[in-house]
């Protein structure tokens, strides 16, 4: 592991909103790449003050991490005792929020302000409050004008992972003098030949932070992160719950990620306990936090940036973005619109383009209740020339619904139409071929709906009886999939009948 000094030398302005960073939304994708995120990537550069070398010989991982690991499987009373040690105040995560929500807004606001003062962030005109999307969010305390800087985060508070000249990822951070990096050093030494992807290196650093290696600032900041039992990404969930998704992509992806983590770090990722509710490992917790809360950096650099993860997500109405001020050594949060006093501020976790619901689930642990504009139904279509008539589809939908769909007022209908092969040239469609195609697509819709173990009506009953837990979120995800297939099926039936 290397903790090195990087001198800031330029200033870059970012007009888009928060960019998330994990391209590991399927189990086997571990090869880092910086090109796939252009052009919406934010560029941050990290500066730090000291350098520490790591010996090639493997080092013993932190006993505190192993103790913390055992607590996740222990009795509730012992977990509560250890929570006081590692997580001094109650907190949790909301599936549709970036910030923790189990503690009250005043409690989180107090922690937020204490940390901001510790980090040297003066005249903070933000406050934590109850969000309309659930949980807590960040609100403007006074009127904010477009272009105004609302928060400055010192880059020295960020945990950075960067690629070194040997094409290996190392950690760069202004670590406390008494910081312990045993797990990070051990992981880098164990895999010194093949190297580790950036997100796993950052996750190991967060494991060390969780067991007291991050100094006073991060020990306090842990209060703002979700507890292990409040993570809702599939690879943090037991196999019995994964089955409830009724989606093989989710199930196999989560299992594959668990096995990958276990094969790389068996001491931090033991076999799952047989009993329900045993909770994810400390490595799963750290990895989930990194995937959903870290940021992409310039030139194969990535960072865990505190405070940015407290903004809630909006892909359609983000009100803040951020930029790096190299001259001042801070990350600036900038208003993208005028913001009224008392109004909540939102970042777009996905940059300029929405993500499919499946990716949102696998990376962030939530999906949007209205569905995603990026969702598509996986039809199998034979022949490149097969197409439905776009004009007929428009006639069936009607002008009012069509305009609403194109104005982002019906995301599911938009996704259905974009999933269908269509042509705006009716003369190019052979007589009767579109009806034949519509019948083939309808058959696939019915097969996909029948493949679910429960019906939409049964899911509605289950959801009404389930408390707001991981199971309720799982049911909500599979309901959204079913609603897409059903909406598409209804549209195809009308298309066939109309012709």
């Amino acid at each position: 592991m290397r903790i090195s000094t990087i001198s800031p030398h330029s200033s870059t302005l970012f007009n888009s909103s928060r960019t998330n960073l994990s391209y590991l939304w399927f189990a086997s994708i571990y090869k880092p790449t910086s090109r796939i995120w252009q052009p919406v990537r934010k560029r941050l550069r990290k500066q730090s003050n000291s350098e520490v070398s790591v010996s090639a010989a493997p080092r013993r991982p932190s006993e505190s991490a192993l103790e913390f690991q055992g607590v996740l499987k222990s009795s509730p009373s012992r977990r509560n005792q250890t929570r006081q040690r590692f997580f001094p105040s109650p907190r949790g995560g909301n599936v549709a929020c970036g910030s923790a929500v189990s503690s009250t807004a005043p409690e989180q606001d107090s922690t937020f302000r204490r940390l901001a003062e510790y980090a040297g962030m003066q005249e903070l005109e933000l406050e934590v409050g109850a969000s309309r999307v659930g949980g807590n969010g960040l609100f403007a305390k006074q009127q904010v004008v477009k272009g105004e800087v609302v928060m400055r985060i010192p880059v020295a508070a960020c945990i950075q992972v960067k690629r070194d000249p040997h094409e290996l990822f190392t950690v760069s951070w202004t670590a406390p003098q008494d910081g312990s990096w045993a797990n990070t050093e051990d992981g880098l030494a164990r895999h010194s030949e093949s190297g580790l992807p950036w997100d796993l290196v950052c996750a190991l650093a967060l494991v060390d932070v969780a067991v007291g290696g991050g100094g006073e600032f991060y020990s306090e900041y842990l209060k703002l992160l979700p507890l292990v039992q409040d993570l809702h990404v599939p690879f943090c969930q037991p196999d019995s719950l994964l089955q409830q998704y009724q989606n093989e992509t989710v199930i196999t992806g989560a299992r594959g990620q668990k096995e990958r983590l276990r094969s790389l770090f068996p001491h931090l990722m033991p076999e799952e306990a047989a009993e329900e509710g045993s909770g994810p490992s400390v490595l799963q917790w750290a990895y989930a936090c990194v995937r959903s809360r870290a940021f992409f950096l310039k030139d194969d650099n990535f960072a865990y940036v505190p405070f940015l993860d407290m903004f809630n997500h909006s892909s359609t109405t983000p009100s803040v973005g951020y930029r790096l001020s190299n001259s001042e050594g801070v990350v600036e949060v900038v208003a993208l619109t005028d913001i009224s006093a008392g109004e909540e501020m939102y970042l777009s976790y996905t940059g300029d383009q929405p993500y499919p619901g499946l990716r949102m689930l696998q990376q962030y642990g939530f999906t949007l209740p209205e569905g995603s504009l990026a969702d598509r139904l996986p039809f199998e279509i034979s022949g490149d020339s097969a197409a439905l008539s776009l004009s007929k589809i428009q006639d069936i939908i009607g002008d009012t619904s069509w305009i609403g769909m194109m104005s982002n007022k019906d995301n599911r209908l938009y996704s259905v139409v974009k999933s269908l092969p269509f042509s705006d040239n009716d003369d190019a469609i052979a007589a009767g071929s579109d009806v034949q195609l519509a019948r083939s697509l309808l058959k696939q819709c019915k097969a996909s709906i029948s493949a679910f173990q429960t019906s939409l009506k049964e899911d509605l009953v289950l959801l009404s009886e389930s408390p707001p837990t991981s199971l309720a979120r799982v049911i909500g995800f599979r309901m959204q999939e079913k609603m897409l297939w059903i909406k598409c099926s209804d549209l195809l039936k009308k298309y066939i009948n109309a012709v």
Side-chain angles (χ1 to χ4, degrees), residues 84-105:
Q84 292 300 317
R85 175 180 177 184
F86 297 112
F87 305 108
S89 69
R91 65 198 184 288
N94 182 277
V95 34
C97 299
S99 60
V101 298
S102 286
S103 54
T104 65

Side-chain angles (χ1 to χ4, degrees), residues 1-4 6 46 51-54 159-173 181 184 188-189 192 195-202 205 297 300-303:
M1 179 186 65
R2 179 170 299 166
I3 302 177
S4 59
I6 301 177
K46 167 72 173 59
E51 183 167 300
V52 178
S53 299
V54 178
I159 299 176
Q160 181 193 14
V161 179
K162 66 188 183 80
R163 193 190 297 272
D164 68 10
H166 304 289
E167 296 298 306
L168 300 177
F169 281 106
T170 58
V171 173
S172 177
W173 182 43
W181 293 80
T184 310
L188 291 173
S192 59
L196 291 172
W198 71 267
D199 45 6
L200 283 179
V201 176
C202 195
L297 308 181
D300 286 332
N301 280 249
F302 308 83

Side-chain angles (χ1 to χ4, degrees), residues 70-239:
V71 168
L72 300 179
K73 311 288 185 181
S74 65
S75 65
S77 60
R78 187 168 178 230
R79 284 201 300 269
N80 291 336
Q81 293 172 4
T82 304
R83 180 182 301 180
Q84 292 300 317
R85 175 180 177 184
F86 297 112
F87 305 108
S89 69
R91 65 198 184 288
N94 182 277
V95 34
C97 299
S99 60
V101 298
S102 286
S103 54
T104 65
E107 289 173 332
Q108 282 209 345
D109 188 65
S110 176
T111 301
F112 174 62
R113 296 192 174 286
R114 191 162 58 249
L115 283 167
E117 182 179 358
Y118 184 90
M121 298 162 59
Q122 304 298 326
E123 300 179 0
L124 202 61
E125 296 300 331
L126 305 175
E127 62 183 353
V128 178
S131 173
R132 64 176 177 82
V133 299
N136 299 326
L138 289 178
F139 293 74
K141 292 182 64 177
Q142 61 183 20
Q143 176 74 29
V144 177
V145 179
K146 180 180 179 180
E148 183 178 343
V149 176
V150 297
M151 183 163 58
R152 292 179 171 86
I153 305 167
V155 293
C158 304
I159 299 176
Q160 181 193 14
V161 179
K162 66 188 183 80
R163 193 190 297 272
D164 68 10
H166 304 289
E167 296 298 306
L168 300 177
F169 281 106
T170 58
V171 173
S172 177
W173 182 43
T174 308
Q177 294 296 320
D178 58 347
S180 173
W181 293 80
N183 292 284
T184 310
E185 294 177 355
D186 175 72
L188 291 173
R190 286 173 183 263
H191 303 280
S192 59
E193 295 296 325
S194 59
L196 291 172
W198 71 267
D199 45 6
L200 283 179
V201 176
C202 195
L204 290 174
L206 199 58
V207 169
D208 286 325
V209 165
V211 296
E216 184 177 349
F217 177 84
Y218 271 98
S219 293
E220 186 76 0
Y221 193 75
L222 287 172
K223 298 177 183 179
L224 300 176
L225 296 180
L227 290 169
V228 291
Q229 61 265 34
D230 295 321
L231 295 169
H232 304 291
V233 289
F235 78 90
C236 284
Q237 295 172 333
D239 200 71

Side-chain angles (χ1 to χ4, degrees), residues 171-482:
V171 173
S172 177
W173 182 43
T174 308
Q177 294 296 320
D178 58 347
S180 173
W181 293 80
N183 292 284
T184 310
E185 294 177 355
D186 175 72
L188 291 173
R190 286 173 183 263
H191 303 280
S192 59
E193 295 296 325
S194 59
L196 291 172
W198 71 267
D199 45 6
L200 283 179
V201 176
C202 195
L204 290 174
L206 199 58
V207 169
D208 286 325
V209 165
V211 296
E216 184 177 349
F217 177 84
Y218 271 98
S219 293
E220 186 76 0
Y221 193 75
L222 287 172
K223 298 177 183 179
L224 300 176
L225 296 180
L227 290 169
V228 291
Q229 61 265 34
D230 295 321
L231 295 169
H232 304 291
V233 289
F235 78 90
C236 284
Q237 295 172 333
D239 200 71
S240 58
L241 186 58
L242 290 178
Q243 297 292 337
Q244 297 299 319
Y245 281 104
Q246 302 177 12
N247 183 303
E248 277 303 311
T249 300
V250 174
I251 295 171
T252 57
R255 287 174 177 171
Q257 288 189 3
K258 290 180 185 181
E259 288 304 314
R260 183 61 182 267
L261 292 176
R262 186 174 293 115
S263 66
L264 290 171
F265 310 104
H267 59 292
L268 293 176
M269 183 69 182
E271 293 290 338
E272 285 188 295
E275 67 274 14
E276 189 69 22
S278 56
S281 68
V282 61
L283 181 60
Q284 286 171 285
W285 168 82
Y287 188 43
C289 286
V290 168
R291 288 186 60 186
S292 60
R293 294 165 178 267
F295 291 78
F296 184 84
L297 308 181
K298 183 179 180 180
D299 301 329
D300 286 332
N301 280 249
F302 308 83
Y304 199 96
V305 184
F307 302 115
L308 279 183
D309 60 352
M310 297 183 68
F311 289 98
N312 285 324
H313 167 67
S314 173
S315 59
T316 56
T317 57
S319 54
V320 294
Y322 71 90
R323 66 189 178 194
L324 174 67
S325 173
N326 282 320
S327 60
E328 298 183 24
V330 295
V331 177
E332 296 180 334
V333 178
V334 184
L336 301 177
T337 62
D338 291 341
I339 305 172
S340 302
E343 181 181 345
E344 183 174 3
M345 293 172 282
Y346 294 93
L347 277 165
S348 172
Y349 293 1
T350 62
D352 296 336
Q353 300 296 326
Y355 285 174
L358 177 62
R359 182 169 184 174
M360 293 295 292
L361 172 73
Q362 292 178 309
Q363 185 163 332
Y364 297 106
F366 69 87
T367 56
L368 302 177
E370 68 273 17
S372 170
L373 292 172
D375 284 334
R376 298 293 182 269
L377 296 173
F379 286 116
E380 294 182 4
I381 303 171
S382 59
D384 296 335
S385 60
L388 303 177
S389 168
L390 179 59
S391 62
K392 292 178 182 177
I393 294 175
Q394 287 182 269
D395 289 342
I396 293 169
I397 293 175
D399 292 342
T400 301
S401 297
W402 186 270
I403 293 172
M405 177 191 76
M406 299 305 293
S407 303
N408 298 336
K409 295 180 179 179
D410 192 338
N411 290 358
R412 291 192 182 90
L413 181 58
Y414 180 89
S415 296
V416 165
V417 173
K418 292 291 286 185
S419 298
L420 297 172
F422 57 78
S423 172
D424 58 0
N425 183 5
D426 287 356
D427 294 336
I429 302 175
S433 64
D434 58 335
V435 178
Q436 184 178 356
L437 174 61
R439 286 174 177 152
S440 173
L441 298 176
L442 179 58
K443 184 178 180 180
Q444 294 182 51
C445 284
K446 292 180 177 179
S448 297
I449 295 171
S450 299
F452 289 103
Q453 289 83 48
T454 56
S455 67
L456 183 59
K457 183 177 180 179
E458 290 171 330
D459 284 346
L460 286 169
V461 174
L462 289 171
L463 191 62
S464 66
E465 297 173 348
S466 299
T469 60
S470 292
L471 177 59
R473 295 180 174 93
V474 170
I475 296 173
F477 171 79
R478 74 190 191 205
M479 285 178 60
Q480 289 195 26
E481 287 198 304
K482 293 170 187 176

